[in-house]
Amino acid sequence: MQEGAGRIEDRTVDRVQVARTVLGAAATIALVLAYNVDPDRWEDAAWQGAAQLIVAPFVLIIAAPLVIIGFIYYAPPHLRPHLRSRLRAPLKAVGWYVLTLAVIGGILVPTALFANADDGKSWWEYVLAVASLIVIVWGFPFFFMASLYSARSAFNSAQVHPMLPPVLTMTLVWVFAAFSLIGDGMPQGPPAVQFCSTLGGPLSVTVVSLWELRRMKTRFGVTLRA
């Protein structure tokens, strides 16, 4: 069974992904409690999770074209024109996401630069104030949900090929792991704990994604080079 025009709906994979997320969160909490009692750690972890959610679509916008080009190049020559013809859906999703961000920035930046609450407001300052209020009340929640959906669907890349979302998920999680290692360094604790804390998340996501790819092949008959 397929969701939309390309994504394969597999409830077993969905349940395993949820279980991996829950176990990963529990393992992180256990490691923080055991080896890092810094009271700011929880706040830092929350901010880091929110930042990754917001940054994920931008990382995909940069990294996904390289992955998709390699993906299409790996496909048999007779399938490449078909895959290229299906790029419209992810390109459209990226365009709407960038347009949403541009509209939000195009309203908030002029408001911050030119609107002055101390002087008598002119009509255009009132317009900017109303538009900024709309952005705060409606635009920010919409942008948050769009970021969540874009990261989850990898900008509708399944419409190019059902195997693309797990491949892009593996790419994304390793990019974040590298950023975290460069920015924060190794966590506290013995070497085994450092290894699990640093690589446990990306390795577990990779294993689940590879298993998802295998299920696509064995259960649904989806392959790249067929």
Side-chain angles (χ1 to χ4, degrees):
M1 182 177 181
Q2 293 187 346
E3 182 182 20
R7 189 175 184 87
I8 292 177
E9 184 179 356
D10 190 335
R11 297 300 185 186
T12 301
V13 171
D14 292 341
R15 287 193 290 267
V16 171
Q17 289 174 340
V18 171
R20 191 220 67 84
T21 301
V22 172
L23 291 175
T28 300
I29 292 172
L31 290 174
V32 169
L33 290 176
Y35 297 101
N36 192 338
V37 295
D38 184 356
D40 295 331
R41 179 65 177 176
W42 299 111
E43 182 179 355
D44 293 342
W47 279 108
Q48 184 178 18
Q52 286 185 355
L53 174 62
I54 299 300
V55 172
F58 297 98
V59 176
L60 282 173
I61 290 173
I62 297 173
L66 300 177
V67 176
I68 293 175
I69 289 172
F71 196 88
I72 294 176
Y73 179 78
Y74 182 74
H78 68 279
L79 288 180
R80 294 173 190 170
H82 173 70
L83 294 178
R84 287 194 294 266
S85 69
R86 298 178 67 86
L87 288 172
R88 181 178 180 181
L91 290 175
K92 183 178 179 179
V94 170
W96 279 110
Y97 186 83
V98 173
L99 178 62
T100 300
L101 184 62
V103 170
I104 292 175
I107 293 174
L108 294 183
V109 172
T111 302
L113 292 178
F114 303 114
N116 189 346
D118 297 329
D119 63 4
K121 288 184 173 62
S122 59
W123 67 269
W124 59 268
E125 288 180 302
Y126 282 108
V127 171
L128 284 177
V130 172
S132 297
L133 181 61
I134 294 174
V135 166
I136 293 172
V137 173
W138 179 83
F140 282 167
F142 178 83
F143 178 71
F144 178 82
M145 296 303 297
S147 298
L148 183 63
Y149 175 80
S150 298
R152 175 70 178 85
S153 67
F155 288 107
N156 293 331
S157 58
Q159 296 194 33
V160 178
H161 196 282
M163 287 184 166
L164 262 175
V167 172
L168 289 172
T169 297
M170 287 188 285
T171 303
L172 186 64
V173 74
W174 283 106
V175 169
F176 278 131
F179 285 165
S180 178
L181 184 60
I182 293 172
D184 301 331
M186 296 294 290
Q188 298 181 17
V193 172
Q194 291 180 332
F195 175 83
C196 292
S197 179
T198 303
L199 298 179
L203 283 176
S204 62
V205 171
T206 299
V207 169
V208 172
S209 295
L210 291 175
W211 173 70
E212 181 182 0
L213 292 173
R214 180 172 177 79
R215 279 183 64 86
M216 287 185 187
K217 180 179 179 180
T218 59
R219 186 177 178 85
F220 299 97
V222 176
T223 60
L224 177 58
R225 300 189 62 82

